[in-house]
Amino acid sequence: MPFALHGMCSLHSNIATDVHLASLAGYQGLEIHTEKLWRYIDAGFTAEELKLKLEQHNIVPSAIDIIGGVEAPDKASQAKLWQQTQVLCEFAKVIGAPTIQLNAFEGLNGLDLQRNIELTAKNIRSIADIGRDFDIRFQYEGAAWTPIASLDSYFRLYDSVCRDNFGFVLDTWHLWASRGATPEELSKVSEDLIYNVHISDGKRPEINANWPDERELRGYLPGEGDIPLTEYVSAIQSTGYDGFYSGEFLNDQLWEGDYFELAGVMLQQMRSLVNH
């Protein structure tokens, strides 16, 4: 199985360093952190230059992560989404990244779930149509505290989007923390709909408790938190999925650590889980 370094694990680094780090640590791919990519673009660098850097280090760009706020309810926000999508799709096409991640957050809170899904799907259809011109596909991840977070709501969103370049990234923490999918439920997902997998560990609030800042719950490397990761990863593997796995955490203390050591431990732990 191929493994990608997730750019979130080296948050205060930059893309050029991430490519080198992924190579040195033994990864096959890099999941590109979008804030770093925008900095790279704003600094005047081109997709062709990043493509060369990736090729020099024999690193595959597994995905670009993320276009956020895809539930945007107003025309100004939607216009910004279309512009971001166009630029990122052009960039992804050149460097060979097949997938861009989409996240919806809380812009439609207050609406019932079905209406939330319908409005979010309408925006995603426009995004997917832009991506089709570049042969780019889009993977949805539902943040655990947001309305569209359970596996069931993923499928309802998928049915409403109705585009063949739209699927899912399965993130173990988000699905576990939201109580949105059991391993048994994950084992029934069609492998064709799984574009990438995030292995992440952590804690979650008690049922009906308020959500704290995400960084308070996700300061754990695989095996250090409460998630039964062996069961979750085995369930995903049982679907036939054979694409990239990337590890992820969100935590201020870990971000101030040694990125080379962290990347190595993350890869070791992921290999142990996937090869279990």
Side-chain angles (χ1 to χ4, degrees), residues 228-270:
L229 285 177
T230 298
E231 296 177 26
Y232 272 81
V233 172
S234 295
I236 293 168
Q237 286 182 296
S238 73
T239 67
Y241 174 77
D242 61 358
F244 273 98
Y245 290 81
S246 62
E248 190 179 14
F249 60 78
L250 277 77
N251 180 261
D252 290 329
Q253 290 182 322
L254 287 174
W255 283 326
E256 295 304 322
D258 184 317
Y259 289 159
F260 184 81
E261 291 181 3
L262 288 168
V265 172
M266 181 68 79
L267 180 58
Q268 181 182 14
Q269 294 298 92
M270 287 196 296

Side-chain angles (χ1 to χ4, degrees), residues 72-99:
D74 60 88
K75 291 188 180 299
S77 298
Q78 291 165 357
K80 186 177 180 180
L81 276 181
W82 315 152
Q83 181 184 29
Q84 289 177 340
T85 301
Q86 181 76 24
V87 172
L88 292 179
C89 284
E90 291 174 358
F91 205 99
K93 179 69 173 180
V94 172
I95 67 173
T99 308

Side-chain angles (χ1 to χ4, degrees), residues 114-134:
Q114 184 55 37
R115 186 59 177 156
N116 195 307
I117 287 172
E118 289 170 356
L119 293 175
T120 302
K122 181 179 179 180
N123 286 349
I124 292 177
R125 281 196 295 274
S126 295
I127 290 171
D129 289 344
I130 293 170
R132 181 178 287 117
D133 292 337
F134 300 93

Side-chain angles (χ1 to χ4, degrees), residues 132-171:
R132 181 178 287 117
D133 292 337
F134 300 93
D135 296 321
I136 300 300
R137 62 186 190 175
F138 299 90
Q139 60 185 29
Y140 180 79
E141 178 186 82
W145 60 91
T146 64
I148 309 174
S150 69
L151 187 60
D152 178 69
S153 64
Y154 280 30
F155 280 111
R156 291 169 65 179
L157 180 67
Y158 174 81
D159 289 340
S160 189
V161 170
C162 198
R163 293 293 187 271
D164 60 8
N165 59 337
F166 178 69
F168 312 140
V169 52
L170 301 183
D171 182 295

